[in-house]
Amino acid sequence: MEDKGLSFADQSLSLNSAEDAKTIVSAIEKCPCLVFFNLQGNTLGIDAAKEIGHALAKHGSHLKHALWQDMFTGRLKSEIPIVLEHLSAGLLTANVRLSELDLSNNAFGPIGMQGLVKLLNSPVCYELHTLRLMNNGLGIGGAKMLAKALIDNYNASTMAGTPFKLKVLVAGRNRLENDGIIALSQFFSLVKTMEEITIPQNGIYCKGALAIAEALNVHESLENLDVSYNEINGESGIILTKVLCNKINLKEYNINGNRFGMETIDIISNTLKESNKDETLGSFSGDEGECSSDEEDDNDEAEESSTDTDTEDGDISTSYADKTADLMKDMAVGEVKLVKNSTDIVSFEILVDQLMDIAGRYQNADDKDTLDKCFELYKTAYTNATKELKFVDLTNLLLVKHGLIKSEDKKFQLRKDVGRCLEVLKIAVENKNVIPEPSQCVLSFMLKKKYSFQ
């Protein structure tokens, strides 16, 4: 590829005016086949970007690799989206079909993503295989914009008959956090071609790791996964590892620098060993140790309390039922009440509470009426979750409400009839026609883990 493109890498050029851009514009005009274009390590302003964009529009139709790392040193944030728009306009006019886009080490944040969205969901990126956005300071807002752009690309490219087949996403050091990674997981659930996902140092914690685990179920070609230094806890790390056991192409798995401790590290190592994938596992040299014993003790006490009170008199707690009693009156099984908020989205928390109010009355295997009602509500919940792109949110909510993972809300308390609710959930998971398969995987593992320690 060396003779089929241009590289101005690391020349420290300060490209401000149209005059400054002349050397690059001239090179583009003379290049017979511009397959790659490397501007890494230079600083690009609005006027220069406009001229380069014009040159690309006329001579850039063969471009496949846009290598644009570290291009905005010393630039105002307000300049960055305009620069990206000028470059994007050139690619759009030239009808380019990129296979690689690298904008790493450009700390443009959410405002920079605004300038990139039009490019990402345009035909220019329909054939994109590799997207590198390492260390861009995207934050949650930028991650959500990125996820929407990728989802829009997937939908538009599919309608055009050329489905989006992204293989590599590098998005480490971006402060994505739980909400950001959950948004991106919605994209991962759609596209089924991922081979490498590199998202270290993003603070994705427990809910984010579970979202990734669920989304990875459909990615049979996965080769590399890097979720290092994200403060993931033991339970989530084990779930994530279990999901990788059927990935026949797995080559590298980096989960270093999280909050596991030796017991969880042993479980993760043995799980991979049983699947003949222990050689894919990286070092645990940076592991931060398991969560504090105080946190674990608090959770254990809550579970013990719920189990004890559940078996004493058979009484059903009304603490959660009271607030949904009015919604339950005269309500046909499977009917969903909408909460009239700004988006008219179903309140899954209310729906799950309704379901658990019914499940709390379950007595034994002969109580088919209760099971049937609960099954219908599970189906309704997941149908609506799929429509609203909140599949992961619903699964996480079920895990929290049933005490299978810790709630981030310190005021949250498990309901007293959670034992019966867990029995119903277990039966629902075992029934292949109630809960969708990706969620079954996560819920089944967490239920087995809970019951194995009782």
Side-chain angles (χ1 to χ4, degrees), residues 381-422:
Y382 272 102
T383 296
N384 282 279
T386 301
K387 290 179 181 178
E388 303 295 344
L389 295 178
K390 289 186 174 291
F391 191 91
V392 173
D393 293 10
L394 175 58
T395 303
N396 287 340
L397 184 61
L398 287 170
L399 289 168
V400 170
K401 290 278 189 178
H402 287 81
L404 296 173
I405 63 174
K406 292 178 181 177
S407 172
E408 294 183 356
D409 181 1
K410 295 187 181 297
K411 296 181 180 179
F412 173 76
Q413 291 184 344
L414 289 173
R415 44 193 299 155
K416 291 183 179 180
D417 57 357
V418 72
R420 293 190 181 93
C421 297
L422 280 164

mmCIF file of all heavy atoms in Angstrom, residues 381-422:
data_model
loop_
_atom_site.group_PDB
_atom_site.id
_atom_site.type_symbol
_atom_site.label_atom_id
_atom_site.label_comp_id
_atom_site.label_asym_id
_atom_site.label_seq_id
_atom_site.Cartn_x
_atom_site.Cartn_y
_atom_site.Cartn_z
ATOM 1 N N ALA A 381 -42.802 -7.620 28.193
ATOM 2 C CA ALA A 381 -41.688 -6.745 28.568
ATOM 3 C C ALA A 381 -40.578 -6.796 27.519
ATOM 4 O O ALA A 381 -40.060 -5.753 27.092
ATOM 5 C CB ALA A 381 -41.146 -7.151 29.941
ATOM 6 N N TYR A 382 -40.211 -7.994 27.077
ATOM 7 C CA TYR A 382 -39.116 -8.116 26.125
ATOM 8 C C TYR A 382 -39.519 -7.663 24.715
ATOM 9 O O TYR A 382 -38.691 -7.164 23.960
ATOM 10 C CB TYR A 382 -38.572 -9.554 26.100
ATOM 11 C CG TYR A 382 -37.497 -9.741 27.139
ATOM 12 C CD1 TYR A 382 -37.774 -10.387 28.348
ATOM 13 C CD2 TYR A 382 -36.222 -9.235 26.944
ATOM 14 C CE1 TYR A 382 -36.796 -10.535 29.320
ATOM 15 C CE2 TYR A 382 -35.232 -9.381 27.902
ATOM 16 C CZ TYR A 382 -35.531 -10.030 29.090
ATOM 17 O OH TYR A 382 -34.564 -10.158 30.053
ATOM 18 N N THR A 383 -40.785 -7.828 24.372
ATOM 19 C CA THR A 383 -41.261 -7.315 23.089
ATOM 20 C C THR A 383 -41.115 -5.802 23.038
ATOM 21 O O THR A 383 -40.620 -5.228 22.065
ATOM 22 C CB THR A 383 -42.738 -7.701 22.865
ATOM 23 O OG1 THR A 383 -42.839 -9.128 22.787
ATOM 24 C CG2 THR A 383 -43.264 -7.086 21.572
ATOM 25 N N ASN A 384 -41.544 -5.143 24.116
ATOM 26 C CA ASN A 384 -41.442 -3.685 24.167
ATOM 27 C C ASN A 384 -39.998 -3.221 24.297
ATOM 28 O O ASN A 384 -39.615 -2.195 23.728
ATOM 29 C CB ASN A 384 -42.271 -3.147 25.337
ATOM 30 C CG ASN A 384 -43.753 -3.122 25.017
ATOM 31 O OD1 ASN A 384 -44.253 -2.230 24.363
ATOM 32 N ND2 ASN A 384 -44.466 -4.141 25.464
ATOM 33 N N ALA A 385 -39.191 -3.976 25.029
ATOM 34 C CA ALA A 385 -37.782 -3.618 25.174
ATOM 35 C C ALA A 385 -37.061 -3.664 23.834
ATOM 36 O O ALA A 385 -36.215 -2.826 23.540
ATOM 37 C CB ALA A 385 -37.109 -4.556 26.174
ATOM 38 N N THR A 386 -37.404 -4.640 23.017
ATOM 39 C CA THR A 386 -36.796 -4.753 21.692
ATOM 40 C C THR A 386 -37.199 -3.589 20.803
ATOM 41 O O THR A 386 -36.367 -3.000 20.104
ATOM 42 C CB THR A 386 -37.216 -6.081 21.027
ATOM 43 O OG1 THR A 386 -36.794 -7.176 21.860
ATOM 44 C CG2 THR A 386 -36.568 -6.223 19.651
ATOM 45 N N LYS A 387 -38.479 -3.211 20.855
ATOM 46 C CA LYS A 387 -38.964 -2.094 20.050
ATOM 47 C C LYS A 387 -38.302 -0.785 20.439
ATOM 48 O O LYS A 387 -38.006 0.064 19.607
ATOM 49 C CB LYS A 387 -40.484 -1.954 20.205
ATOM 50 C CG LYS A 387 -41.280 -3.068 19.551
ATOM 51 C CD LYS A 387 -42.769 -2.859 19.786
ATOM 52 C CE LYS A 387 -43.582 -3.984 19.160
ATOM 53 N NZ LYS A 387 -45.037 -3.817 19.434
ATOM 54 N N GLU A 388 -38.072 -0.596 21.756
ATOM 55 C CA GLU A 388 -37.538 0.669 22.250
ATOM 56 C C GLU A 388 -36.015 0.660 22.383
ATOM 57 O O GLU A 388 -35.428 1.577 22.948
ATOM 58 C CB GLU A 388 -38.152 0.998 23.626
ATOM 59 C CG GLU A 388 -39.668 1.077 23.638
ATOM 60 C CD GLU A 388 -40.195 2.224 22.802
ATOM 61 O OE1 GLU A 388 -39.386 3.116 22.478
ATOM 62 O OE2 GLU A 388 -41.384 2.240 22.480
ATOM 63 N N LEU A 389 -35.360 -0.416 21.886
ATOM 64 C CA LEU A 389 -33.902 -0.566 21.993
ATOM 65 C C LEU A 389 -33.438 -0.492 23.445
ATOM 66 O O LEU A 389 -32.428 0.128 23.767
ATOM 67 C CB LEU A 389 -33.181 0.505 21.152
ATOM 68 C CG LEU A 389 -33.396 0.425 19.645
ATOM 69 C CD1 LEU A 389 -32.667 1.565 18.951
ATOM 70 C CD2 LEU A 389 -32.923 -0.914 19.091
ATOM 71 N N LYS A 390 -34.210 -1.135 24.337
ATOM 72 C CA LYS A 390 -33.875 -1.147 25.758
ATOM 73 C C LYS A 390 -33.765 -2.580 26.277
ATOM 74 O O LYS A 390 -34.084 -2.875 27.421
ATOM 75 C CB LYS A 390 -34.926 -0.359 26.555
ATOM 76 C CG LYS A 390 -34.862 1.142 26.321
ATOM 77 C CD LYS A 390 -35.820 1.889 27.223
ATOM 78 C CE LYS A 390 -35.629 3.385 27.081
ATOM 79 N NZ LYS A 390 -34.360 3.848 27.619
ATOM 80 N N PHE A 391 -33.327 -3.484 25.401
ATOM 81 C CA PHE A 391 -33.195 -4.894 25.735
ATOM 82 C C PHE A 391 -32.234 -5.098 26.911
ATOM 83 O O PHE A 391 -32.529 -5.808 27.865
ATOM 84 C CB PHE A 391 -32.683 -5.642 24.506
ATOM 85 C CG PHE A 391 -32.747 -7.138 24.608
ATOM 86 C CD1 PHE A 391 -33.861 -7.817 24.167
ATOM 87 C CD2 PHE A 391 -31.693 -7.860 25.138
ATOM 88 C CE1 PHE A 391 -33.922 -9.201 24.252
ATOM 89 C CE2 PHE A 391 -31.749 -9.227 25.234
ATOM 90 C CZ PHE A 391 -32.869 -9.915 24.779
ATOM 91 N N VAL A 392 -31.095 -4.433 26.841
ATOM 92 C CA VAL A 392 -30.089 -4.557 27.906
ATOM 93 C C VAL A 392 -30.604 -3.942 29.203
ATOM 94 O O VAL A 392 -30.405 -4.491 30.283
ATOM 95 C CB VAL A 392 -28.770 -3.878 27.482
ATOM 96 C CG1 VAL A 392 -27.778 -3.860 28.629
ATOM 97 C CG2 VAL A 392 -28.176 -4.609 26.296
ATOM 98 N N ASP A 393 -31.286 -2.794 29.094
ATOM 99 C CA ASP A 393 -31.827 -2.131 30.277
ATOM 100 C C ASP A 393 -32.773 -3.050 31.037
ATOM 101 O O ASP A 393 -32.733 -3.134 32.268
ATOM 102 C CB ASP A 393 -32.584 -0.858 29.879
ATOM 103 C CG ASP A 393 -31.665 0.215 29.312
ATOM 104 O OD1 ASP A 393 -30.491 -0.109 29.065
ATOM 105 O OD2 ASP A 393 -32.113 1.343 29.115
ATOM 106 N N LEU A 394 -33.637 -3.758 30.303
ATOM 107 C CA LEU A 394 -34.601 -4.654 30.944
ATOM 108 C C LEU A 394 -33.898 -5.810 31.639
ATOM 109 O O LEU A 394 -34.237 -6.160 32.774
ATOM 110 C CB LEU A 394 -35.589 -5.190 29.907
ATOM 111 C CG LEU A 394 -36.598 -6.233 30.413
ATOM 112 C CD1 LEU A 394 -37.428 -5.681 31.560
ATOM 113 C CD2 LEU A 394 -37.506 -6.707 29.278
ATOM 114 N N THR A 395 -32.914 -6.396 30.989
ATOM 115 C CA THR A 395 -32.173 -7.510 31.591
ATOM 116 C C THR A 395 -31.466 -7.064 32.870
ATOM 117 O O THR A 395 -31.518 -7.758 33.892
ATOM 118 C CB THR A 395 -31.150 -8.073 30.600
ATOM 119 O OG1 THR A 395 -31.818 -8.475 29.401
ATOM 120 C CG2 THR A 395 -30.416 -9.272 31.185
ATOM 121 N N ASN A 396 -30.826 -5.915 32.829
ATOM 122 C CA ASN A 396 -30.147 -5.394 34.017
ATOM 123 C C ASN A 396 -31.139 -5.123 35.140
ATOM 124 O O ASN A 396 -30.860 -5.367 36.318
ATOM 125 C CB ASN A 396 -29.397 -4.112 33.680
ATOM 126 C CG ASN A 396 -28.147 -4.365 32.855
ATOM 127 O OD1 ASN A 396 -27.639 -5.474 32.832
ATOM 128 N ND2 ASN A 396 -27.672 -3.361 32.174
ATOM 129 N N LEU A 397 -32.316 -4.593 34.777
ATOM 130 C CA LEU A 397 -33.342 -4.297 35.772
ATOM 131 C C LEU A 397 -33.818 -5.570 36.462
ATOM 132 O O LEU A 397 -34.002 -5.599 37.684
ATOM 133 C CB LEU A 397 -34.524 -3.579 35.104
ATOM 134 C CG LEU A 397 -35.650 -3.099 36.026
ATOM 135 C CD1 LEU A 397 -35.124 -2.082 37.039
ATOM 136 C CD2 LEU A 397 -36.778 -2.479 35.206
ATOM 137 N N LEU A 398 -33.998 -6.640 35.692
ATOM 138 C CA LEU A 398 -34.406 -7.918 36.277
ATOM 139 C C LEU A 398 -33.338 -8.454 37.227
ATOM 140 O O LEU A 398 -33.649 -8.987 38.301
ATOM 141 C CB LEU A 398 -34.674 -8.944 35.165
ATOM 142 C CG LEU A 398 -35.954 -8.728 34.350
ATOM 143 C CD1 LEU A 398 -35.970 -9.651 33.140
ATOM 144 C CD2 LEU A 398 -37.187 -8.966 35.212
ATOM 145 N N LEU A 399 -32.079 -8.304 36.845
ATOM 146 C CA LEU A 399 -30.981 -8.765 37.704
ATOM 147 C C LEU A 399 -30.960 -8.006 39.028
ATOM 148 O O LEU A 399 -30.778 -8.590 40.097
ATOM 149 C CB LEU A 399 -29.641 -8.591 36.983
ATOM 150 C CG LEU A 399 -29.382 -9.532 35.808
ATOM 151 C CD1 LEU A 399 -28.174 -9.070 35.003
ATOM 152 C CD2 LEU A 399 -29.181 -10.963 36.288
ATOM 153 N N VAL A 400 -31.155 -6.690 38.962
ATOM 154 C CA VAL A 400 -31.148 -5.867 40.171
ATOM 155 C C VAL A 400 -32.355 -6.178 41.042
ATOM 156 O O VAL A 400 -32.234 -6.403 42.256
ATOM 157 C CB VAL A 400 -31.128 -4.368 39.811
ATOM 158 C CG1 VAL A 400 -31.376 -3.517 41.053
ATOM 159 C CG2 VAL A 400 -29.794 -3.988 39.183
ATOM 160 N N LYS A 401 -33.544 -6.201 40.446
ATOM 161 C CA LYS A 401 -34.783 -6.394 41.202
ATOM 162 C C LYS A 401 -34.832 -7.753 41.896
ATOM 163 O O LYS A 401 -35.479 -7.913 42.928
ATOM 164 C CB LYS A 401 -35.988 -6.247 40.279
ATOM 165 C CG LYS A 401 -36.246 -4.829 39.789
ATOM 166 C CD LYS A 401 -36.990 -4.023 40.825
ATOM 167 C CE LYS A 401 -37.448 -2.690 40.268
ATOM 168 N NZ LYS A 401 -38.214 -1.908 41.249
ATOM 169 N N HIS A 402 -34.158 -8.739 41.315
ATOM 170 C CA HIS A 402 -34.140 -10.079 41.896
ATOM 171 C C HIS A 402 -32.922 -10.314 42.788
ATOM 172 O O HIS A 402 -32.699 -11.420 43.260
ATOM 173 C CB HIS A 402 -34.174 -11.143 40.797
ATOM 174 C CG HIS A 402 -35.509 -11.283 40.131
ATOM 175 N ND1 HIS A 402 -35.947 -10.439 39.128
ATOM 176 C CD2 HIS A 402 -36.533 -12.156 40.340
ATOM 177 C CE1 HIS A 402 -37.156 -10.804 38.741
ATOM 178 N NE2 HIS A 402 -37.543 -11.829 39.456
ATOM 179 N N GLY A 403 -32.131 -9.277 43.004
ATOM 180 C CA GLY A 403 -30.991 -9.401 43.902
ATOM 181 C C GLY A 403 -29.840 -10.196 43.340
ATOM 182 O O GLY A 403 -28.992 -10.684 44.089
ATOM 183 N N LEU A 404 -29.768 -10.314 42.008
ATOM 184 C CA LEU A 404 -28.702 -11.102 41.392
ATOM 185 C C LEU A 404 -27.451 -10.268 41.127
ATOM 186 O O LEU A 404 -26.360 -10.811 40.952
ATOM 187 C CB LEU A 404 -29.207 -11.723 40.090
ATOM 188 C CG LEU A 404 -30.349 -12.742 40.278
ATOM 189 C CD1 LEU A 404 -30.902 -13.179 38.925
ATOM 190 C CD2 LEU A 404 -29.872 -13.946 41.073
ATOM 191 N N ILE A 405 -27.605 -8.959 41.047
ATOM 192 C CA ILE A 405 -26.476 -8.040 41.044
ATOM 193 C C ILE A 405 -26.822 -6.877 41.959
ATOM 194 O O ILE A 405 -27.997 -6.646 42.276
ATOM 195 C CB ILE A 405 -26.133 -7.509 39.627
ATOM 196 C CG1 ILE A 405 -27.288 -6.696 39.049
ATOM 197 C CG2 ILE A 405 -25.710 -8.628 38.706
ATOM 198 C CD1 ILE A 405 -26.948 -6.018 37.724
ATOM 199 N N LYS A 406 -25.816 -6.149 42.367
ATOM 200 C CA LYS A 406 -26.032 -5.029 43.284
ATOM 201 C C LYS A 406 -26.617 -3.837 42.563
ATOM 202 O O LYS A 406 -26.247 -3.533 41.435
ATOM 203 C CB LYS A 406 -24.709 -4.615 43.940
ATOM 204 C CG LYS A 406 -24.149 -5.642 44.900
ATOM 205 C CD LYS A 406 -22.822 -5.167 45.468
ATOM 206 C CE LYS A 406 -22.236 -6.206 46.408
ATOM 207 N NZ LYS A 406 -20.911 -5.791 46.904
ATOM 208 N N SER A 407 -27.514 -3.163 43.230
ATOM 209 C CA SER A 407 -28.050 -1.919 42.704
ATOM 210 C C SER A 407 -27.088 -0.789 43.005
ATOM 211 O O SER A 407 -26.447 -0.762 44.059
ATOM 212 C CB SER A 407 -29.411 -1.618 43.344
ATOM 213 O OG SER A 407 -29.852 -0.326 42.990
ATOM 214 N N GLU A 408 -26.971 0.163 42.068
ATOM 215 C CA GLU A 408 -26.128 1.329 42.311
ATOM 216 C C GLU A 408 -26.848 2.354 43.194
ATOM 217 O O GLU A 408 -26.248 3.317 43.637
ATOM 218 C CB GLU A 408 -25.731 1.958 40.979
ATOM 219 C CG GLU A 408 -24.822 1.049 40.155
ATOM 220 C CD GLU A 408 -24.350 1.690 38.868
ATOM 221 O OE1 GLU A 408 -24.794 2.813 38.583
ATOM 222 O OE2 GLU A 408 -23.545 1.074 38.165
ATOM 223 N N ASP A 409 -28.150 2.121 43.419
ATOM 224 C CA ASP A 409 -28.935 2.966 44.309
ATOM 225 C C ASP A 409 -28.805 2.429 45.727
ATOM 226 O O ASP A 409 -29.319 1.350 46.038
ATOM 227 C CB ASP A 409 -30.402 2.979 43.867
ATOM 228 C CG ASP A 409 -31.270 3.873 44.750
ATOM 229 O OD1 ASP A 409 -30.726 4.491 45.689
ATOM 230 O OD2 ASP A 409 -32.494 3.933 44.514
ATOM 231 N N LYS A 410 -28.107 3.150 46.584
ATOM 232 C CA LYS A 410 -27.844 2.672 47.934
ATOM 233 C C LYS A 410 -29.127 2.524 48.755
ATOM 234 O O LYS A 410 -29.136 1.860 49.790
ATOM 235 C CB LYS A 410 -26.867 3.614 48.649
ATOM 236 C CG LYS A 410 -25.483 3.636 48.004
ATOM 237 C CD LYS A 410 -24.504 4.438 48.825
ATOM 238 C CE LYS A 410 -23.129 4.465 48.162
ATOM 239 N NZ LYS A 410 -22.528 3.127 48.051
ATOM 240 N N LYS A 411 -30.221 3.169 48.330
ATOM 241 C CA LYS A 411 -31.484 3.079 49.059
ATOM 242 C C LYS A 411 -32.333 1.888 48.621
ATOM 243 O O LYS A 411 -33.372 1.603 49.213
ATOM 244 C CB LYS A 411 -32.288 4.378 48.862
ATOM 245 C CG LYS A 411 -31.619 5.610 49.452
ATOM 246 C CD LYS A 411 -32.475 6.851 49.245
ATOM 247 C CE LYS A 411 -31.796 8.086 49.834
ATOM 248 N NZ LYS A 411 -32.615 9.317 49.623
ATOM 249 N N PHE A 412 -31.891 1.192 47.596
ATOM 250 C CA PHE A 412 -32.672 0.069 47.081
ATOM 251 C C PHE A 412 -32.726 -1.069 48.088
ATOM 252 O O PHE A 412 -31.731 -1.424 48.715
ATOM 253 C CB PHE A 412 -32.062 -0.435 45.775
ATOM 254 C CG PHE A 412 -32.698 -1.699 45.257
ATOM 255 C CD1 PHE A 412 -33.932 -1.662 44.633
ATOM 256 C CD2 PHE A 412 -32.063 -2.923 45.418
ATOM 257 C CE1 PHE A 412 -34.529 -2.816 44.152
ATOM 258 C CE2 PHE A 412 -32.642 -4.086 44.940
ATOM 259 C CZ PHE A 412 -33.881 -4.035 44.312
ATOM 260 N N GLN A 413 -33.901 -1.658 48.250
ATOM 261 C CA GLN A 413 -34.092 -2.805 49.125
ATOM 262 C C GLN A 413 -34.817 -3.905 48.371
ATOM 263 O O GLN A 413 -35.775 -3.646 47.632
ATOM 264 C CB GLN A 413 -34.898 -2.419 50.374
ATOM 265 C CG GLN A 413 -34.138 -1.506 51.331
ATOM 266 C CD GLN A 413 -34.936 -1.219 52.591
ATOM 267 O OE1 GLN A 413 -36.141 -1.451 52.639
ATOM 268 N NE2 GLN A 413 -34.264 -0.742 53.614
ATOM 269 N N LEU A 414 -34.372 -5.140 48.575
ATOM 270 C CA LEU A 414 -35.058 -6.263 47.948
ATOM 271 C C LEU A 414 -36.426 -6.451 48.578
ATOM 272 O O LEU A 414 -36.617 -6.237 49.777
ATOM 273 C CB LEU A 414 -34.238 -7.547 48.136
ATOM 274 C CG LEU A 414 -32.945 -7.666 47.333
ATOM 275 C CD1 LEU A 414 -32.188 -8.902 47.762
ATOM 276 C CD2 LEU A 414 -33.234 -7.710 45.846
ATOM 277 N N ARG A 415 -37.405 -6.851 47.796
ATOM 278 C CA ARG A 415 -38.730 -7.140 48.314
ATOM 279 C C ARG A 415 -38.699 -8.451 49.093
ATOM 280 O O ARG A 415 -37.877 -9.335 48.830
ATOM 281 C CB ARG A 415 -39.763 -7.187 47.185
ATOM 282 C CG ARG A 415 -39.346 -7.925 45.967
ATOM 283 C CD ARG A 415 -40.272 -7.678 44.790
ATOM 284 N NE ARG A 415 -41.632 -8.112 45.074
ATOM 285 C CZ ARG A 415 -42.705 -7.608 44.471
ATOM 286 N NH1 ARG A 415 -42.575 -6.648 43.583
ATOM 287 N NH2 ARG A 415 -43.905 -8.042 44.752
ATOM 288 N N LYS A 416 -39.603 -8.597 50.051
ATOM 289 C CA LYS A 416 -39.577 -9.758 50.932
ATOM 290 C C LYS A 416 -39.959 -11.051 50.225
ATOM 291 O O LYS A 416 -39.587 -12.138 50.665
ATOM 292 C CB LYS A 416 -40.511 -9.523 52.123
ATOM 293 C CG LYS A 416 -40.002 -8.448 53.083
ATOM 294 C CD LYS A 416 -40.919 -8.310 54.279
ATOM 295 C CE LYS A 416 -40.379 -7.248 55.239
ATOM 296 N NZ LYS A 416 -41.256 -7.071 56.428
ATOM 297 N N ASP A 417 -40.729 -10.940 49.140
ATOM 298 C CA ASP A 417 -41.137 -12.152 48.427
ATOM 299 C C ASP A 417 -40.219 -12.459 47.250
ATOM 300 O O ASP A 417 -40.597 -13.162 46.322
ATOM 301 C CB ASP A 417 -42.584 -12.011 47.934
ATOM 302 C CG ASP A 417 -42.790 -10.790 47.043
ATOM 303 O OD1 ASP A 417 -41.828 -10.026 46.856
ATOM 304 O OD2 ASP A 417 -43.914 -10.591 46.555
ATOM 305 N N VAL A 418 -38.984 -11.953 47.290
ATOM 306 C CA VAL A 418 -38.066 -12.138 46.175
ATOM 307 C C VAL A 418 -37.727 -13.606 45.933
ATOM 308 O O VAL A 418 -37.421 -14.005 44.813
ATOM 309 C CB VAL A 418 -36.766 -11.311 46.391
ATOM 310 C CG1 VAL A 418 -35.900 -11.923 47.477
ATOM 311 C CG2 VAL A 418 -35.990 -11.164 45.085
ATOM 312 N N GLY A 419 -37.836 -14.433 46.984
ATOM 313 C CA GLY A 419 -37.560 -15.866 46.836
ATOM 314 C C GLY A 419 -38.507 -16.517 45.844
ATOM 315 O O GLY A 419 -38.093 -17.291 44.969
ATOM 316 N N ARG A 420 -39.797 -16.194 45.962
ATOM 317 C CA ARG A 420 -40.779 -16.740 45.032
ATOM 318 C C ARG A 420 -40.556 -16.172 43.625
ATOM 319 O O ARG A 420 -40.701 -16.874 42.621
ATOM 320 C CB ARG A 420 -42.198 -16.397 45.506
ATOM 321 C CG ARG A 420 -42.590 -17.089 46.808
ATOM 322 C CD ARG A 420 -44.074 -16.882 47.074
ATOM 323 N NE ARG A 420 -44.461 -17.504 48.326
ATOM 324 C CZ ARG A 420 -44.496 -16.894 49.494
ATOM 325 N NH1 ARG A 420 -44.168 -15.624 49.547
ATOM 326 N NH2 ARG A 420 -44.846 -17.529 50.592
ATOM 327 N N CYS A 421 -40.228 -14.896 43.570
ATOM 328 C CA CYS A 421 -39.960 -14.257 42.274
ATOM 329 C C CYS A 421 -38.779 -14.922 41.565
ATOM 330 O O CYS A 421 -38.790 -15.099 40.347
ATOM 331 C CB CYS A 421 -39.678 -12.768 42.472
ATOM 332 S SG CYS A 421 -41.070 -11.832 43.143
ATOM 333 N N LEU A 422 -37.763 -15.283 42.347
ATOM 334 C CA LEU A 422 -36.604 -15.967 41.781
ATOM 335 C C LEU A 422 -36.985 -17.334 41.230
ATOM 336 O O LEU A 422 -36.480 -17.752 40.180
ATOM 337 C CB LEU A 422 -35.512 -16.117 42.851
ATOM 338 C CG LEU A 422 -34.649 -14.879 43.113
ATOM 339 C CD1 LEU A 422 -33.889 -15.030 44.426
ATOM 340 C CD2 LEU A 422 -33.671 -14.650 41.963
#
